[in-house]
Amino acid sequence: MDNLEKRIKTNGVISGLLLGVILTALSIFSYYFITAITNSPVLFVVGPIILSVFIPIFVVVLFCFNFRKKIGGYWTFRQATTGIFIMFLAAYLLQFAGKNLLFDKVIEPNNVQMTQNAAINAKVAILKQRNTDQKVIDKNVAELKTDFNQQKNLTIGNTIQGIVFSILFVFLFSLIFASLFKKEPVYANTNNGVVN
């Protein structure tokens, strides 16, 4: 049993690092996709949903199936929760370091401004297609700028609070995925030739 627990933890870290690389790459690709597709409001809305929600969920499901298969095809709810939590936590930490620290601070330090410009351009294009009054457009643009300014002015306390909430969500998602992917072995108890 100790060997299985060790394999679960080891595979959790390895799978989490691989998952983190994939999610970081998707996140960076999503950023470039958003900032490049400013002329198409539909793609601006639909693209990030596909890149940030549907593809990651599909990848996570594949990783969970593969993880369970690597450890022998069976694990209890507790083992699944532990393994999936370790996998998600490793992926989150790698994505935080790769995207939030390295990419956002070093490679693309102006990413908030570029995302803001792309969001404003897409919002204005959508509102103009609907023949919206210019005052309403100006109001929407001002609201978007206020939202983005709040993102720029994050304090260390806000960052720590965000990390704590993220870890809580990681644990919650681990419980959800563990309930979906647990597969306990079935043992038949025999007593005088009768299966109980």
Side-chain angles (χ1 to χ4, degrees):
M1 195 59 134
D2 290 334
N3 187 31
L4 178 61
E5 300 294 330
K6 185 177 178 182
R7 280 191 342 212
I8 287 172
K9 291 175 182 175
T10 304
N11 280 312
V13 171
I14 293 168
S15 296
L17 293 176
L18 291 172
L19 180 60
V21 168
I22 292 169
L23 295 178
T24 302
L26 278 171
S27 181
I28 291 170
F29 180 76
S30 179
Y31 161 75
Y32 284 118
F33 183 82
I34 288 170
T35 55
I37 305 295
T38 57
N39 296 332
S40 175
V42 174
L43 286 177
F44 185 84
V45 173
V46 174
I49 292 172
I50 292 171
L51 291 170
S52 302
V53 178
F54 292 116
I55 293 175
I57 288 174
F58 177 74
V59 170
V60 165
V61 167
L62 289 178
F63 267 78
C64 287
F65 275 122
N66 191 38
F67 191 169
R68 186 175 69 192
K69 185 178 173 184
K70 280 183 180 178
I71 60 148
Y74 298 99
W75 54 5
T76 64
F77 177 73
R78 182 177 179 192
Q79 291 168 334
T81 303
T82 301
I84 292 172
F85 177 71
I86 290 170
M87 180 175 72
F88 285 176
L89 185 62
Y92 169 74
L93 293 175
L94 184 77
Q95 185 178 17
F96 182 80
K99 170 72 170 69
N100 295 20
L101 298 179
L102 180 65
F103 183 79
D104 290 350
K105 305 292 185 210
V106 178
I107 298 171
E108 285 287 351
N110 296 325
N111 69 341
V112 174
Q113 183 65 41
M114 292 177 71
T115 305
Q116 175 183 329
N117 293 339
I120 289 172
N121 291 340
K123 185 74 169 182
V124 168
I126 290 169
L127 293 174
K128 283 186 177 179
Q129 284 178 353
R130 296 179 184 166
N131 297 321
T132 306
D133 185 53
Q134 187 61 40
K135 289 180 182 178
V136 175
I137 292 174
D138 293 341
K139 181 182 175 188
N140 278 285
V141 168
E143 289 173 358
L144 276 174
K145 285 182 178 179
T146 302
D147 292 343
F148 277 100
N149 284 335
Q150 290 175 352
Q151 289 181 23
K152 286 182 191 176
N153 302 325
L154 288 177
T155 64
I156 293 174
N158 289 342
T159 304
I160 292 171
Q161 183 181 18
I163 291 170
V164 170
F165 280 125
S166 295
I167 291 173
L168 289 173
F169 276 117
V170 164
F171 182 69
L172 177 66
F173 284 128
S174 300
L175 290 172
I176 292 168
F177 277 88
S179 68
L180 295 172
F181 290 98
K182 71 177 168 74
K183 186 176 181 185
E184 298 192 30
V186 178
Y187 299 105
N189 293 330
T190 57
N191 188 7
N192 294 330
V194 178
V195 177
N196 293 330

